[in-house]
Amino acid sequence: MKLTILLYLLKVQLRFSAWRRPGFRKMLNKRDYTLVIRTADRKHGRFFTFTGGRIVSRRGLHPKPDVEMVWCDAGTAFRALAAGDDKTMMQALGKSQLQIEGNLDHFFWFGEVTKHMMGKEA
Amino acid sequence: MGYFGEGQDMAFDGPVFPDTGRPKEDVFAALDEIYHMDVDAVHGHVMLYATTLMEDHPVTEVCRHACSKFMKRNMLVREIAPGLQKLEQEVKRMAIEMLRLPDTTRVNITSGGSESIYCGINAAYQWAKDHKPEITEPEIVVPYSIHAAFSKWCHYTGIKITRVPLGPDHRADVKAMEAAITPNTIFLAGSTPCWPYGLFDPVEETAALAVKHGLWMHVDACIGAYQATFLEKLGVEFPTWRIGDIPGVCSMSADLHKHAYAAKPCSTIFFRDKELQQYHWYHPADWPSGPYATEALMGSFPAGSVASAWAVMNFLGEDGYTELAKKTLEARKRYVDGINSVDGMRCWDTDLSVLVFETGDLDTLAVMAGLFERQAFVFPIYQPMLIQLAVDPVPPEVIDTFVNHLRQVAHGVRTGAITSEPLMKLL
């Protein structure tokens, strides 16, 4: 449940930032793709589709994602995503708690997007 | 900004450029110190195709001598320098002979795999202007595992790149590639082998697809060509990979500074024939100095690396390269046996000298961090998490050192003494 709420809040925050911050909107406009964040058992998940700077996000999976962040379980996903930093994400990859399916470049780009959203951009 | 994507700005206390020059002995001493900052020649492991591990091999001495001798000469003006012209022509001819390519094959020397790849895509783009003039927004279709240089060139030039998911065997999925072809597609490619997994793509089938759809086909043999050709002599079998052996292959990239043991930067781009090579050449003359006829993307380009290729090719010859290929096979077996003997580690079955291995239940990045601390600079592969290294024909002592380090690191990671933390500033 915590993961589901966190992913919903991520959607809200992404859309709010896109609405309020032209710089962030400009960044989103650079790339069109669909990213899914889900657990390996597919019980928890949400997709984020970025098109022309707009964001569509719904609970559940997507039939044709460009990239999927597949977490070993909801608890691990919640802790790593809540930490909200690259290091935690990379460490989860190293421990095979997180696997990336699809285009890896979108995963790294999404990391940049979330950093920008949280005002951590370089 | 380096391979891992993280810039490391140094903090300087004051100006670095000296007001007064230093005695050359001081400069040499300082250079020596800098040189040894990176790696110990015997007990360290730089897996960067730098052949650093072959520091003590006579081939390195030959390479260094040739490179220094021609260091200040510029291949750009080879037409007026008979010596440089001889070097260039003979290196090109030897490259064709080494790879057993037909006499009709044409070759250009470049600064490395990336430039060779750029030249292949560019030639295809120019070719498409003639053969597919209706295409205004060209696209290329490649396997997901193909080198990042393909994406770079497409980014620079506005060509659309479609990376097609691999088959379950981590090789190109030719059917999926066909499905990805659009009316704007001009180019297909495959690797022999690919960098991430060390596997040969089915380039013969991909080339058949290119013929069927009237497309340019490129084989990226940057890693493999100058090694596979000699391994084949020793009875190792590979899927067909040569430009001359596969109908429909128009260009092929192959690095001299990898397993041809030349100094960096040095690579080759082959075209099936003179007609296709015409799409490579561009000699702009729209400035006061007249035609600027360059070999590839570079203007000035270093004669030192070309001279090193010439020298090493002459020093080793067919026998020498075959012997090094044999030693590479032995080294590879020793690595695989050694790595597999470490609890939890498992090498994948790769096709050539690129090795990748899983770390079982251990944190892969922590294992990498531990190896880095011991000067074993391996690469990460993220899908799935693997550690990659490149095999050079190094002495057993070097391999055993690596395996011992890996064993120590595995134990350290298991007990929690080694974590991925030191690596995080790089990734």
Side-chain angles (χ1 to χ4, degrees), chain A residues 87 90 93-94 100 102 104, chain B residues 144 363-365 383 385 421:
Chain A
K87 195 173 106 178
M90 292 308 292
L93 270 175
I100 307 302
L104 187 67
Chain B
Y144 182 60
D363 179 339
T364 308
L365 294 177
Q383 294 178 295
M385 276 313 296
E421 197 64 36

Side-chain angles (χ1 to χ4, degrees), chain B residues 185-425:
Chain B
T185 303
I186 61 167
F187 174 103
L188 303 179
S191 312
T192 59
C194 70
W195 172 249
Y197 306 115
L199 297 170
F200 277 49
D201 286 324
V203 289
E204 200 168 2
E205 289 91 323
T206 314
L209 199 61
V211 171
K212 180 178 165 188
H213 292 270
L215 306 173
W216 183 287
M217 172 71 193
H218 179 89
V219 173
D220 180 20
C222 279
I223 308 170
Y226 290 102
Q227 192 170 52
T229 197
F230 296 104
L231 287 172
E232 283 172 338
K233 273 185 76 177
L234 299 168
V236 180
E237 291 183 1
F238 298 107
T240 317
W241 58 273
R242 280 185 184 79
I243 184 169
D245 293 346
I246 309 173
V249 175
C250 303
S251 55
M252 181 175 88
S253 40
D255 285 357
L256 289 167
H257 64 206
K258 289 195 173 78
H259 296 289
Y261 306 108
K264 291 181 179 57
C266 209
S267 176
T268 40
I269 168 84
F270 295 90
F271 297 97
R272 190 173 65 219
D273 52 39
K274 197 171 181 178
E275 190 191 332
L276 292 180
Q277 190 192 33
Q278 295 310 311
Y279 294 105
H280 163 78
W281 295 120
Y282 177 56
H283 300 159
D286 54 346
W287 68 326
S289 291
Y292 188 61
T294 58
E295 176 77 358
L297 296 188
M298 287 185 296
S300 289
F301 86 101
S305 57
V306 180
S308 79
W310 185 93
V312 171
M313 286 167 164
N314 276 286
F315 176 69
L316 288 174
E318 180 80 15
D319 289 350
Y321 276 106
T322 309
E323 184 57 28
L324 283 178
K326 185 166 167 264
K327 284 189 174 156
T328 305
L329 270 189
E330 291 163 4
R332 183 193 145 85
K333 183 175 183 322
R334 199 174 184 98
Y335 267 117
V336 171
D337 291 348
I339 292 167
N340 285 342
S341 74
V342 178
D343 188 25
M345 311 287 161
R346 188 180 71 85
C347 280
W348 280 25
D349 193 12
T350 57
D351 286 334
L352 208 67
S353 60
V354 174
L355 283 185
V356 290
F357 62 96
E358 303 169 352
T359 59
D361 61 337
L362 296 179
D363 179 339
T364 308
L365 294 177
V367 173
M368 261 188 77
L371 290 172
F372 270 41
E373 278 175 2
R374 288 156 180 78
Q375 295 195 330
F377 300 114
V378 292
F379 289 105
I381 303 296
Y382 293 99
Q383 294 178 295
M385 276 313 296
L386 299 165
I387 289 177
Q388 183 212 50
L389 55 91
V391 177
D392 278 324
V394 292
E397 179 194 11
V398 171
I399 301 163
D400 296 346
T401 306
F402 177 82
V403 173
N404 286 337
H405 283 162
L406 184 63
R407 206 178 303 282
Q408 288 167 18
V409 168
H411 177 72
V413 173
R414 211 171 283 288
T415 59
I418 296 173
T419 69
S420 61
E421 197 64 36
L423 203 62
M424 288 302 131
K425 63 178 187 291

Side-chain angles (χ1 to χ4, degrees), chain A residues 49-106:
Chain A
T49 298
F50 301 88
T51 319
R54 294 169 60 86
I55 305 160
V56 174
S57 176
R58 293 204 180 86
R59 192 175 165 183
L61 307 181
H62 189 278
K64 215 176 165 190
D66 295 293
V67 64
E68 291 187 289
M69 293 168 62
V70 183
W71 292 89
C72 57
D73 60 68
T76 307
F78 175 79
R79 283 189 296 278
L81 291 166
D85 60 55
D86 285 354
K87 195 173 106 178
T88 312
M89 213 60 80
M90 292 308 292
Q91 286 173 332
L93 270 175
K95 291 173 185 166
S96 298
Q97 294 168 335
L98 167 65
Q99 296 200 25
I100 307 302
E101 292 179 7
N103 190 329
L104 187 67
D105 196 43
H106 293 313

